Amino acid sequence: MLLVLVLFTLTSLTGSSLGNFYQDFDIIWGDWRAMILNDGELLNLNLDQASGSGFQSKNEYLFGKIDMRLKLVPGNSAGTVTAYYLQSKGSAWDEIDFEFLGNLSGDPYILHTNVYSQGKGEKEQQFYLWFDPTADFHTYSILWNPQRIIFYVDGSPIREFKNMESIGVPFPRYQPMRIYSTLWNADDWATRGGLVKTDWSQAPFTASYTSFNASNACVWINGASSCDSNNFSPPAWLSEDLD
């Protein structure tokens, strides 16, 4: 009984452990195109010519290390964008983005990353993945602490965005954010700058999600962070750095 109580307390202070989509997320867009399956262990987003789809986390977070396993749209996915990101509310919002830009069959996906601070972006970096992200699930992680943001793919860091407030660069540090993901049509820019359009004969397009983990995250509850509790011992990720 004591062990169960301790585990429950730790989970409630930080975030959910290995997630269940029924418990951790709400469908916010697309009606039946967003489907939770396998007793909450799998979520599929679909896009057709009528609409895309999306979901958001029930919790807001202020710092954390958040993992999600994604399998992207296979085949000719040109024109589509699968976005997985953190975002706050308001006109001066903060945002941390993974965006996967669809492609013609056989061409590599482009992983587009960006950071918004107080509503200002223009901090894009793009990467080619070293594997086929449509053949199987891969883990995409965001480490967000007061000093830096690190983007990971399958545990390998691909980008670091440091807190440079000392020289006047805003950093996402004060606004709690929810986790979002959407699958949508962006053929005006997504593939080769909009030259390649979505082939709707290939629809519906499907992206799949599993193994959500926010056990290493600070939940924002009633205007305060769970990590500000008197019983909270700062974990290693809250000051984690790259060697």
Side-chain angles (χ1 to χ4, degrees):
M1 181 66 180
L2 179 59
L3 177 60
V4 171
L5 179 61
V6 169
L7 288 175
F8 175 79
T9 302
L10 288 174
T11 300
S12 63
L13 282 174
T14 55
S16 55
S17 57
L18 288 178
N20 181 289
F21 285 104
Y22 284 120
Q23 297 174 1
D24 296 321
F25 292 93
D26 292 317
I27 304 301
I28 57 171
W29 177 40
D31 299 321
W32 54 266
R33 295 172 185 85
M35 298 179 291
I36 299 175
L37 307 167
N38 296 356
D39 296 323
E41 294 182 359
L42 178 70
L43 190 151
N44 285 347
L45 293 183
N46 289 278
L47 165 68
D48 59 28
Q49 198 162 3
S51 178
S53 53
F55 62 87
Q56 71 176 28
S57 63
K58 296 179 185 293
N59 286 330
E60 293 181 290
Y61 303 91
L62 187 63
F63 306 126
K65 186 170 185 180
I66 295 168
D67 307 316
M68 184 82 81
R69 289 177 62 78
L70 280 72
K71 184 163 64 172
L72 301 180
V73 175
N76 180 1
S77 58
T80 71
V81 172
T82 305
Y84 163 55
Y85 58 102
L86 300 173
Q87 187 181 64
S88 66
K89 300 175 182 177
S91 59
W93 75 98
D94 295 336
E95 187 173 328
I96 304 170
D97 288 343
F98 278 112
E99 289 186 302
F100 303 91
L101 310 186
N103 59 15
L104 290 170
S105 298
D107 291 343
Y109 257 82
I110 292 176
L111 170 54
H112 181 97
T113 65
N114 201 0
V115 176
Y116 283 77
S117 303
Q118 299 177 19
K120 296 179 181 179
E122 299 181 355
K123 304 174 185 70
E124 295 93 341
Q125 288 186 12
Q126 292 187 340
F127 305 86
Y128 287 116
L129 297 171
W130 55 95
F131 52 82
D132 180 357
T134 74
D136 203 353
F137 286 94
H138 292 269
T139 303
Y140 302 91
S141 306
I142 295 170
L143 170 67
W144 170 38
N145 65 33
Q147 297 81 39
R148 60 191 43 82
I149 295 163
I150 304 175
F151 296 80
Y152 292 86
V153 176
D154 286 338
S156 296
I158 61 167
R159 178 182 181 182
E160 180 183 35
F161 182 82
K162 292 184 178 181
N163 184 338
M164 301 296 287
E165 290 176 311
S166 61
I167 61 170
V169 180
F171 184 83
R173 196 155 67 92
Y174 305 101
Q175 302 185 76
M177 296 196 263
R178 293 187 192 274
I179 303 161
Y180 295 87
S181 193
T182 56
L183 174 57
W184 51 292
N185 179 44
D187 65 4
D188 57 334
W189 66 271
T191 307
R192 295 180 59 193
L195 293 177
V196 183
K197 301 301 183 181
T198 304
D199 180 0
W200 293 110
S201 70
Q202 305 296 313
F205 303 98
T206 303
S208 299
Y209 303 73
T210 190
S211 302
F212 166 69
N213 187 358
S215 58
N216 294 313
C218 301
V219 179
W220 189 258
I221 305 172
N222 297 324
S225 169
S226 60
C227 294
D228 291 336
S229 166
N230 292 331
N231 298 321
F232 181 75
S233 178
W237 64 261
L238 202 53
S239 57
E240 186 173 332
D241 198 354
L242 294 177
D243 63 21

